[in-house]
Amino acid sequence: MRLLLLSAIWGASFLFMRMIAPTLGALPTAFFRVLLGAVGLGLTLAALHLRWNFKEKFRATLVLGVINSGIPFLMYSMAARILPAGYSAILNATTPLMGVVLGALFFSEKLTRNRVAGVLLGFAGVALLVDTGPVTATHHVLLGAGACLIATACYGAAGFLTKRWISERGGLDSKLVAFGSQVGATLCLLPVFAYSATINPPASWGGGELWAAIGALGLICTAFAYILYFKLIADIGPIKSLTVTFLIPPFGVLWGFLFLNEPLSWGYLFSGGLIGLAVWMVLRKNNSNNLVNAAKLTSKLAQE
């Protein structure tokens, strides 16, 4: 039930971004998400009386926040101005595939036939989604899909960097990593947001419904979701927790259909199926533990 709840929450993040970004813009959407995520996690740590001992890894968590939250959330917010929520949710599932590519290019990860076939199959699924989905494949749609793939590439890189900067240096409480990362993302986006809001503010700052969506995006889809995810890893292990990757896209499509009247399409089913099969191929148990460890440390945490 908790795994389904987490999938529903992360799937809803694409719904909320789709509600917010067309009105406020991509940058304010991403900034308020990480700001509220940091506030929510900070209050949680205080309530748990957890000692804020980062073991000289605070700077590392800040940089990880830029890579794992700041840039991806901004990219997804940009995509939300163009793409239906279901598109972004399905493309989010390519995170492990990006991990394979980046691992082979920059982190000395071994490529197996299963991984190569999975990556090729996954990108075939991306192409099928763009070509057969309910939105015409225009230049803007391609840009939106590209923004989602940049986000998943950041998630893939963040997994390996977390392993290198945190796990291999003695480890750190996952809640502190999550909090530090949201602080880092907030500090990264703050000056850009402040400049943008001063020079070119949004035409409208929205009403109560929009700010309720912002609150849900930051506090529930970010702060609470991180806590739930790490609790799942502790209770059922990282491999079973990774099945959230397969469950987020259906919820993303469902919420978009129910609340935004986004059209359904057979393209969702076929492209999502191909990407899901590709993810299964690269995360199979006979692949190296390094890939699994890197994948579990990324977050789809999504936004994934």
Side-chain angles (χ1 to χ4, degrees), residues 6-28:
L6 180 62
S7 305
I9 290 172
W10 271 335
S13 68
F14 300 100
L15 165 70
F16 293 132
M17 284 188 286
R18 182 65 172 158
M19 294 170 61
I20 301 163
T23 300
L24 288 191
L27 186 55

Side-chain angles (χ1 to χ4, degrees), residues 86-146:
Y87 267 62
S88 297
I90 291 173
L91 291 172
N92 180 71
T94 63
T95 295
L97 309 182
M98 289 298 191
V100 170
V101 174
L102 294 175
L105 290 176
F106 303 109
F107 297 97
S108 303
E109 286 292 307
K110 182 181 178 181
L111 276 178
T112 65
R113 283 181 293 180
N114 273 348
R115 292 183 185 178
V116 173
V119 168
L120 294 177
L121 186 63
F123 286 115
V126 171
L128 182 65
L129 174 65
V130 173
D131 187 54
T132 64
V135 177
T136 304
T138 63
H139 174 68
H140 291 293
V141 169
L142 293 176
L143 288 176

Side-chain angles (χ1 to χ4, degrees), residues 13-303:
S13 68
F14 300 100
L15 165 70
F16 293 132
M17 284 188 286
R18 182 65 172 158
M19 294 170 61
I20 301 163
T23 300
L24 288 191
L27 186 55
T29 302
F31 172 73
F32 285 120
R33 178 176 186 178
V34 296
L35 175 63
L36 290 177
V39 170
L41 284 165
L43 292 175
T44 301
L45 295 181
L48 294 175
H49 303 291
L50 184 68
R51 186 181 177 189
W52 291 25
N53 181 7
F54 284 86
K55 303 176 183 178
E56 300 183 350
K57 301 182 183 70
F58 185 60
R59 291 183 181 179
T61 64
L62 296 181
V63 177
L64 284 171
V66 176
I67 301 170
N68 197 51
S69 295
I71 298 174
F73 291 173
L74 179 59
M75 290 297 104
Y76 277 126
S77 297
M78 292 172 62
R81 302 185 67 182
I82 304 166
L83 301 180
Y87 267 62
S88 297
I90 291 173
L91 291 172
N92 180 71
T94 63
T95 295
L97 309 182
M98 289 298 191
V100 170
V101 174
L102 294 175
L105 290 176
F106 303 109
F107 297 97
S108 303
E109 286 292 307
K110 182 181 178 181
L111 276 178
T112 65
R113 283 181 293 180
N114 273 348
R115 292 183 185 178
V116 173
V119 168
L120 294 177
L121 186 63
F123 286 115
V126 171
L128 182 65
L129 174 65
V130 173
D131 187 54
T132 64
V135 177
T136 304
T138 63
H139 174 68
H140 291 293
V141 169
L142 293 176
L143 288 176
C148 291
L149 295 179
I150 291 173
T152 58
C154 288
Y155 287 150
F160 290 105
L161 293 175
T162 302
K163 182 174 181 289
R164 176 176 295 179
W165 294 347
I166 304 295
S167 303
E168 293 179 353
R169 293 177 53 199
L172 187 65
D173 190 298
S174 57
K175 292 184 285 297
L176 289 176
V177 177
F179 172 67
S181 70
Q182 295 309 296
V183 172
T186 302
L187 294 176
C188 169
L189 294 178
L190 175 59
V192 187
F193 166 74
Y195 177 80
S196 174
T198 302
I199 301 301
N200 186 29
S204 170
W205 288 97
E209 182 177 344
L210 184 141
W211 284 95
I214 291 174
L217 181 64
L219 297 174
I220 298 177
C221 298
T222 306
F224 177 69
Y226 270 124
I227 295 169
L228 185 60
Y229 180 63
F230 288 124
K231 177 63 174 172
L232 272 173
I233 290 177
D235 289 346
I236 67 175
I239 295 178
K240 289 183 179 180
S241 297
L242 277 173
T243 56
V244 71
T245 303
F246 299 93
L247 298 173
I248 291 173
F251 279 108
V253 172
L254 177 63
W255 301 146
F257 170 72
L258 291 178
F259 296 104
L260 298 178
N261 295 317
E262 292 181 352
L264 297 177
S265 167
W266 285 109
Y268 281 159
L269 179 62
F270 295 130
S271 61
L274 281 179
I275 293 173
L277 177 60
V279 171
W280 174 79
M281 290 177 68
V282 302
L283 293 180
R284 286 176 64 182
K285 196 171 183 179
N286 62 346
N287 282 332
S288 73
N289 289 331
N290 286 338
L291 179 63
V292 174
N293 290 335
K296 78 175 183 180
L297 291 168
T298 64
S299 163
K300 261 231 318 113
L301 299 168
Q303 21 49 240

